[in-house]
């Protein structure tokens, strides 16, 4: 996927790149896309309109590599979600979870109630 973005950058086809960590091949590939974008002077605003792991990974990538980029967040909420309030903005910001991995594990009780049988 980084190669696809590189082609767009070489062609001068984009001003803002919106790679998605869940679609480009994960965190490592996203880091490559961000580094390529920087080398071509292209601003990165990660596509992150997700709930769950995709949003958590995007939060960490933005904080570490593109701290001035806004976080794209889906415009509605579910009645319940396995990350509770951790993915809800407070005063316009979402806190970066500090635990291991993506920083936060989903609540297994919520997953159990959402599981289809």
């Amino acid at each position: 996927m980084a190669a696809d973005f590189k082609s767009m950058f070489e062609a001068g086809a984009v001003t803002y790149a919106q790679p998605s960590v869940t679609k480009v091949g994960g965190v490592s590939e996203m880091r490559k896309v961000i580094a390529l974008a920087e080398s071509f002077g292209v601003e990165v605003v990660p596509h992150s309109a997700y709930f769950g792991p995709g949003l958590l990974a995007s939060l960490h990538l933005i904080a570490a590599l593109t701290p001035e980029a806004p976080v794209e967040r889906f415009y509605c909420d579910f009645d319940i979600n396995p990350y509770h309030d951790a993915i809800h903005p407070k005063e316009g910001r979402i806190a970066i979870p500090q635990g291991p991995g993506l920083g936060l594990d989903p609540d297994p009780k919520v997953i159990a109630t959402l599981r289809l049988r």
Side-chain angles (χ1 to χ4, degrees), residues 7-91:
S7 296
M8 289 187 285
F9 300 153
E10 288 173 339
V14 294
T15 302
Y16 299 95
Q18 285 201 276
S20 166
V21 68
T22 65
K23 295 179 182 175
V24 298
V27 171
S28 296
E29 194 70 8
M30 182 76 155
R31 291 182 64 175
K32 291 177 189 174
V33 172
I34 291 170
L36 277 169
E38 286 176 355
S39 73
F40 281 90
V42 173
E43 187 172 344
V44 175
V45 180
H47 174 67
S48 60
Y50 306 108
F51 299 96
L55 176 60
L56 297 177
S58 295
L59 289 172
H60 284 284
L61 284 161
I62 290 167
L65 302 173
T66 59
E68 299 302 316
V71 174
E72 180 183 19
R73 187 176 177 283
F74 200 62
Y75 63 90
C76 67
D77 293 313
F78 295 111
D79 288 336
I80 60 171
N81 76 69
Y83 295 102
H84 302 289
D85 287 337
I87 62 169
H88 296 294
K90 291 172 185 67
E91 297 183 23

